[in-house]
Amino acid sequence: QVQLVESGGGLVEAGGSLRLSCAASGSIFSINSMGWYRQAPGKQRELVAGIISGGSTNYDSSVKGRFTISRDNAKNTVYLQMNRVKPEDTAVYYCNAYLRATWYGAPSDYWGQGTQVIVSS
């Protein structure tokens, strides 16, 4: 079993900062990529930022220059540093990992339970 446990969400004022963490644990052979998605009320889940095992990153245009994704491979943990947050960043943030649980299995997507981020104006 693979578990992704997120932490760090909460209420923050516009212009402030917040740091999300997500630790993957359990039966993990290798992690191809990790990322953060978000879903606001009435909207579809969207990719915020992703990072592959080699360290390359990608960001949604709405957060580029404000958010930074990083990863600690030794701890199977991914972080999202959110700076200069805006009310439109309010959403439930989900951690994602695309990984192999065993050496012989195909990689699959795993999701965390989500952490709420509310940005007040």
Side-chain angles (χ1 to χ4, degrees):
Q1 286 282 8
V2 175
Q3 281 190 319
L4 300 183
V5 179
E6 300 133 336
S7 61
L11 176 65
V12 60
E13 290 186 353
S17 298
L18 208 59
R19 190 191 194 209
L20 306 183
S21 300
C22 170
S25 63
S27 175
I28 299 172
F29 176 72
S30 65
I31 299 178
N32 292 30
S33 65
M34 299 187 79
W36 290 94
Y37 288 70
R38 67 186 179 188
Q39 187 167 19
K43 295 188 177 181
Q44 288 190 331
R45 190 174 297 189
E46 63 179 6
L47 174 66
V48 177
I51 184 167
I52 64 173
S53 58
S56 295
T57 59
N58 64 293
Y59 297 91
D60 182 78
S61 59
S62 66
V63 307
K64 195 172 293 186
R66 300 187 297 120
F67 293 7
T68 302
I69 189 170
S70 60
R71 180 174 161 182
D72 185 333
N73 291 332
K75 296 181 179 179
N76 289 336
T77 299
V78 65
Y79 306 95
L80 185 68
Q81 179 66 42
M82 305 167 62
N83 296 330
R84 302 194 310 278
V85 295
K86 303 176 181 180
E88 50 263 45
D89 294 322
T90 294
V92 177
Y93 283 70
Y94 295 91
C95 175
N96 167 268
Y98 187 61
L99 61 85
R100 293 177 184 268
T102 61
W103 65 269
Y104 51 84
S108 298
D109 278 308
Y110 293 85
W111 295 90
Q113 78 284 358
T115 185
Q116 178 75 57
V117 172
I118 299 174
V119 182
S120 63
S121 57

